[in-house]
Amino acid sequence: MVQEVQAQGVLKQHSIWQNEAPPEPCAVIIFGATGDLTQRKLLPTLAHLAHDHPLPEGFCIVAFARRPLDDEKWRAMALESINTYMPADNKLDEEAQQQFARRLFYCRSDFNNPDGYRELAQLLDKLEREHGTKGNRIFYLATPPETDSIVIENIGKAGLAQQQERNGYKSWARVIVEKPFGHDLATAQKLNADLGRVFQENQIYRIDHYMGKETVQNILAFRFANRIFEPLWNQSYIDHVQILVAESIGIGTRAEYYESEGAIRDMVQNHIMQVLCLTCMEPPVTFDADAIRDEKVKVLHAIPLLTTEEVAQCTVRGQYVAGTVEGKPAIGYREEKGVNPNSVTETYVALKLFVENWRWADVPFYIRTGKCLPARSTEVTIQFKRVPHQLYKPPETKGLVPNRLTLCIQPDDGISLKFGAKIPGAAQHLASVDMNFSYKTAFGIQSPEAYERLIADGMIGDSTLFIRRDEIEASWRIIDSITTAWQKAPSGIHFYKAGTWGPEQANTLIEQDGRAWNNPE
Ligand code: BG6
């Protein structure tokens, strides 16, 4: 089912495959196949792909997992997941479910048992012969980070990462690695080195699902497909930038993971840094994967590492206590199941960073993210400077704020521009008004799910939206400079009531610069 897009009277086909042709056949081997991510995200996404977009016959999914299952039991488990987690308006009928199930296979093994990988190799050969996968493989590591290295090593030892040429056809092997990618720079470097011993960099796809969001990709389209904004996109016109990733949910059932990561590793190191890079980068020479990623890395290199004093001045850590979120009572973080009652893990971060280059010198970037905030909202706010000379008298401009451009990533995806207008009447009174663009209204279609976009790109071998080795390490370097200083002062956590916009200290962080947070309306 290919969706049709109508914008400004132009009808276009919307296909997940970039050149409208289905990808080559392949087997996707999921490590961590019985885990939460696979059940909630990967299986429904793969089922959706297989159903709504043309996929070659020779497309198979292999689970590599410890649990004592076989093909039949794994198929039943997968069908239950897709029935539970696929959106209500896009469920698969009985026949489509059976078709999907026939593509699923199970390989039972411990991650550290080399025999299991040999069995996997035999199964992959069989799928090539009997189902026409052409020997192409995508290894999907949806595994806990501590097991990544052993899985990678064993894939290598079993010869499964090799791209072989047979009968004039060169089969390919790729690996998709989920976040968290390391816990700090050292562990990320180790994981990169482990990957590098087995795979070439162009076989490695480090996933950050924010890059799969249409609205995140649209930052590039907005900046580089329009003439009028780019000349203003610099320190001559922009006063400051805010990036907000607010969530109204708490940590759910992920206490163990969250206790060790906190908001800075969970959200800032990856998703927020990616959004920041797209907002700040120079125009790439082309839209090739490396041209784009070269520019993103330059942004990360232009962010100075913070000293201990700067961390004290420019960062605020928060943790939620009991409150009310969206009308419902919420318990405090320390009361969540599995959380240490004296935990100092941050569930909220506010930061001020600079990108020290010609374009952005002296423009502060204020970043905020947190759990149990009043609403779910991801936005980039470009706050332009005031007019150089105000002709209107202060009483006439009471309702006026300087121009502001807001890129709404979610949930109300769109773009809005605030500008001044004269209030009709004899008096010269001005007010700020909004010019709004909404994806839903303009295009009338549902954007593809972030995972769908990324898995599809992995299948066609386009790594543009995936994170390169130097990029991930550059980002960790910045985060390490902050977490190292925090470790020296573990008591520097500030509490905020669930359902509020974070601790008071975060307001001070921006207000002391004569600015204010732009909270979603
Ligand atoms: C994940 C984080 O990467 O992103 C979660 O681990 C967070 O803690 C989630 O809730 C947010 O994703 P989205 O797409 O809902 O903004």
Side-chain angles (χ1 to χ4, degrees):
M1 227 184 306
V2 176
Q3 287 177 306
E4 288 191 332
V5 183
Q6 180 150 34
Q8 307 256 328
V10 183
L11 266 180
K12 290 186 216 128
Q13 298 292 304
H14 166 76
S15 166
I16 194 84
W17 311 115
Q18 289 176 24
N19 52 10
E20 313 279 321
E24 292 188 284
C26 68
V28 176
I29 304 102
I30 306 177
F31 293 84
T34 52
D36 209 47
L37 178 77
T38 305
Q39 303 301 314
R40 284 173 184 272
K41 283 274 181 217
L42 300 185
L43 285 170
T45 302
L46 289 165
H48 186 254
L49 263 180
H51 183 242
D52 283 13
H53 302 279
L55 267 182
E57 272 301 304
F59 173 71
C60 300
I61 300 163
V62 177
F64 187 97
R66 275 168 289 218
R67 283 210 219 164
L69 303 180
D70 55 17
D71 287 353
E72 285 319 307
K73 288 190 184 125
W74 155 240
R75 287 173 182 174
M77 181 179 185
L79 289 186
E80 197 179 321
S81 296
I82 65 171
N83 279 321
T84 313
Y85 297 115
M86 275 180 94
D89 57 356
N90 199 9
K91 298 267 190 224
L92 266 53
D93 64 23
E94 187 54 32
E95 197 194 324
Q97 286 188 30
Q98 291 313 320
Q99 264 176 15
F100 180 66
R102 282 196 288 275
R103 296 177 183 269
L104 303 176
F105 301 87
Y106 197 79
C107 182
R108 184 187 169 198
S109 172
D110 275 346
F111 291 155
N112 50 14
N113 179 4
D115 290 341
Y117 294 78
R118 279 192 280 275
E119 278 168 36
L120 175 64
Q122 284 163 11
L123 174 61
L124 292 178
D125 283 345
K126 185 169 163 226
L127 294 181
E128 182 180 351
R129 283 193 312 275
E130 294 177 10
H131 294 263
T133 58
K134 288 192 148 184
N136 297 325
R137 281 145 282 154
I138 298 182
F139 299 101
Y140 199 117
L141 267 56
T143 33
E146 57 279 9
T147 56
D148 285 344
S149 292
I150 188 73
V151 171
I152 294 160
E153 190 187 325
N154 279 322
I155 290 174
K157 280 188 182 153
L160 290 169
Q162 281 159 22
Q163 318 199 82
Q164 292 151 350
E165 190 154 353
R166 263 179 284 160
N167 307 328
Y169 178 82
K170 190 165 182 202
S171 65
W172 44 260
R174 299 176 189 140
V175 60
I176 299 183
V177 190
E178 263 298 335
K179 84 176 253 280
F181 194 98
H183 178 75
D184 50 19
L185 177 62
T187 47
Q189 282 174 326
K190 175 171 182 311
L191 184 51
N192 274 331
D194 292 344
L195 278 164
R197 270 192 289 279
V198 174
F199 294 95
Q200 316 261 323
E201 180 61 26
N202 64 8
Q203 293 178 279
I204 305 170
Y205 292 69
R206 299 172 191 82
I207 212 165
D208 181 320
H209 80 279
Y210 264 55
M211 288 300 289
K213 292 181 191 272
E214 286 285 329
T215 42
V216 170
Q217 293 160 40
N218 193 48
I219 298 175
L220 291 187
F222 182 77
R223 291 189 56 201
F224 302 134
N226 293 294
R227 181 78 194 247
I228 62 173
F229 301 105
E230 205 45 29
L232 310 179
W233 210 263
N234 57 58
Q235 60 109 274
S236 304
Y237 293 91
I238 294 175
D239 175 76
H240 74 275
V241 176
Q242 294 187 22
I243 301 178
L244 168 70
V245 182
E247 294 187 279
S248 52
I249 53 167
I251 55 149
T253 52
R254 301 161 76 216
E256 193 186 337
Y257 158 79
Y258 204 83
E259 274 283 85
S260 83
E261 301 302 292
I264 195 152
R265 293 185 171 92
D266 186 42
M267 300 297 281
V268 182
Q269 185 274 329
N270 32 65
H271 309 325
I272 292 183
M273 284 298 172
Q274 289 301 314
V275 172
L276 179 106
C277 285
L278 298 183
T279 307
C280 293
M281 65 189 255
E282 294 302 317
V285 180
T286 63
F287 264 132
D288 287 352
D290 274 330
I292 292 181
R293 298 187 298 181
D294 285 347
E295 297 305 333
K296 284 163 68 192
V297 175
K298 285 187 207 161
V299 173
L300 295 169
H301 286 162
I303 299 175
L305 305 185
L306 278 73
T307 62
T308 307
E309 293 71 44
E310 284 164 342
V311 170
Q313 286 158 14
C314 301
T315 72
V316 173
R317 274 172 285 170
Q319 191 187 80
Y320 60 85
V321 295
T324 305
V325 183
E326 293 172 333
K328 295 196 187 106
I331 57 170
Y333 178 69
R334 289 178 176 183
E335 283 100 65
E336 300 274 13
K337 197 166 165 231
V339 169
N340 175 351
N342 301 314
S343 172
V344 289
T345 300
E346 79 287 351
T347 61
Y348 174 99
V349 187
L351 297 174
K352 177 165 78 166
L353 293 178
F354 288 92
V355 178
E356 290 191 348
N357 61 18
W358 191 283
R359 187 190 282 263
W360 294 111
D362 300 328
V363 178
F365 285 76
Y366 297 98
I367 289 168
R368 274 183 305 167
T369 184
K371 301 266 185 207
C372 279
L373 299 186
R376 175 173 187 249
S377 177
T378 300
E379 290 187 351
V380 180
T381 305
I382 312 290
Q383 180 62 65
F384 289 93
K385 290 184 173 173
R386 297 182 177 281
V387 291
H389 173 64
Q390 185 53 274
L391 288 168
Y392 293 90
K393 298 185 188 72
E396 295 168 342
T397 56
K398 252 183 24 210
L400 194 66
V401 294
N403 297 120
R404 179 188 296 159
L405 182 73
T406 308
L407 311 177
C408 304
I409 310 281
Q410 60 187 24
D412 299 321
D413 36 0
I415 296 175
S416 85
L417 178 65
K418 219 176 238 325
F419 61 93
K422 182 177 174 302
I423 302 172
Q428 291 287 346
H429 282 159
L430 306 183
S432 284
V433 292
D434 288 311
M435 199 151 72
N436 292 322
F437 151 75
S438 142
Y439 279 82
K440 284 185 197 90
T441 319
F443 295 107
I445 56 158
Q446 199 77 30
S447 298
E449 225 268 320
Y451 268 93
E452 194 176 317
R453 162 86 278 143
L454 294 172
I455 292 176
D457 282 0
M459 286 166 74
I460 58 170
D462 182 346
S463 54
T464 312
L465 300 176
F466 293 83
I467 318 302
R468 210 169 57 186
R469 178 177 189 157
D470 50 350
E471 210 178 335
I472 217 147
E473 293 184 5
S475 166
W476 271 121
R477 221 165 257 127
I478 301 162
I479 301 304
D480 273 12
S481 74
I482 299 171
T483 50
T484 310
W486 282 357
Q487 257 167 18
K488 293 183 199 148
S491 59
I493 195 116
H494 305 288
F495 297 99
Y496 62 99
K497 257 181 133 172
T500 66
W501 283 109
E504 198 38 52
Q505 288 76 1
N507 294 336
T508 314
L509 175 78
I510 192 164
E511 284 165 9
Q512 68 196 7
D513 294 347
R515 302 182 174 105
W517 295 119
N518 176 36
N519 289 330
E521 283 157 13

